[in-house]
Amino acid sequence: MSRAPSSAAGPGAGSGQGSAPGKVILLGEHAVVYGHPALAGALSQRIFVEVAADAAGPCVYLTSGESAPAELVSAFGAMAAELGLGASLRATVRTELPLGGGLGSSAALGVALARALCEAAGQPCPPGRAAYLALHLERVFHGAPSGVDPAVCALGGLILFTRAQGSAPEAVVTLAPGRPLHVLVALTGIARGTRRTVLPLAARREERPALYDPLLSALGELARGGADALVRGDLADLGVRFDAAHGILAALGVSCTELDELCAALRRDGALGAKLTGAGGGGAALALAQDAAQARVLEQKARARGVQCFAARLGPEAQSG
Ligand code: PMV
């Protein structure tokens, strides 16, 4: 990692700011890659970006002074070029989200960069455009992303997302939960790249579609019904769906011992349901709580076991803009 040179350009003409929240996938990860729906929600933790002129650009630095990986810098350059901006730009990134933890940091960074660059270019950046531009970055981390992460990071709140397929356009339904949705996000501490689970699963499915396709469809059905349960405020229903989804994801080979044990412990602690969230293979687990008080109890119990975790409320109040 290189350090930022000290001659950072200050804000001025061509400068801009943007931010976006992280996310969790409640149901439907992996299945969403194959055209099934996924249920996702924004977190209150965000990534913030400032873009300013810098003759040494394009360059991307964290506030710690660390330079971002080369492929991320080139995705930033491609985004700037698409907006008609020159290459002489620096982005400075501040994050409240753990990076590479399955909480949407790459999508949040993509949406925040899109917003900052659009401001620098004097162009509007509605959610659809922010999510589209963020795909430049998503492709670096994901290969062929479904688009669910940038969609929820750009819109905020809770959504049921289905990717574009053939002539059918992408479908995004914004959901209002019938009851407040309190969860615990628990980190395994195992960093993983999304490609490391998505691509091997694609290869297994290619070899045995008759085995894998019904499992992926079942995950999509759990997400579809989960959206209905969420709107009805039927948390018990949603909790069973979390447990069922985790079982299927484990059968698909995208879980790991640490995630399985973490979910089992969260259920023993009283969670209504627990599952891996995102690509799996490490990253984070998501537990559903009855209410805010139970989410805090789950947090205390997990912390007492040395688990890094935080309680969160998902819903329209976790805004994006
Ligand atoms: O990168 P993650 O952990 O948020 O996972 C993305 C969700 C997947 O369904 C596994 C991949 C995708 O492109 O939708």
Side-chain angles (χ1 to χ4, degrees), residues 104-162:
S105 53
S106 61
L109 175 58
V111 171
L113 280 171
R115 288 181 169 148
L117 284 169
C118 281
E119 190 175 295
Q123 295 179 21
C125 194
R129 181 151 171 76
Y132 162 77
L133 287 167
L135 280 174
H136 279 293
L137 221 72
E138 285 290 276
R139 289 191 198 102
V140 170
F141 296 98
H142 286 218
S146 69
V148 61
D149 286 9
V152 70
C153 292
L155 275 166
L158 287 152
I159 64 167
L160 187 69
F161 173 93
T162 310

Side-chain angles (χ1 to χ4, degrees), residues 23 25 29-30 32-33 102 142 144-149 192 194 198 278-279:
K23 69 93 198 45
I25 297 183
E29 51 271 269
H30 287 286
V32 67
V33 173
H142 286 218
S146 69
V148 61
D149 286 9
R192 50 35 342 139
T194 300
V198 172

Side-chain angles (χ1 to χ4, degrees), residues 72-204:
L72 195 154
V73 176
S74 82
F76 169 59
M79 234 192 250
E82 182 154 347
L83 291 167
L85 293 165
S88 304
L89 287 172
R90 158 197 298 255
T92 307
V93 178
R94 178 168 73 81
T95 181
E96 297 172 343
L97 279 170
L99 301 177
L103 301 180
S105 53
S106 61
L109 175 58
V111 171
L113 280 171
R115 288 181 169 148
L117 284 169
C118 281
E119 190 175 295
Q123 295 179 21
C125 194
R129 181 151 171 76
Y132 162 77
L133 287 167
L135 280 174
H136 279 293
L137 221 72
E138 285 290 276
R139 289 191 198 102
V140 170
F141 296 98
H142 286 218
S146 69
V148 61
D149 286 9
V152 70
C153 292
L155 275 166
L158 287 152
I159 64 167
L160 187 69
F161 173 93
T162 310
R163 75 180 302 174
Q165 281 186 102
S167 58
E170 176 180 297
V172 182
V173 181
T174 302
L175 304 167
R179 283 183 55 188
L181 211 57
H182 293 277
V183 295
L184 184 77
V185 179
L187 308 179
T188 59
I190 303 170
R192 50 35 342 139
T194 300
R195 284 161 180 261
R196 257 193 275 165
T197 55
V198 172
L199 298 183
L201 176 57
R204 289 194 288 278

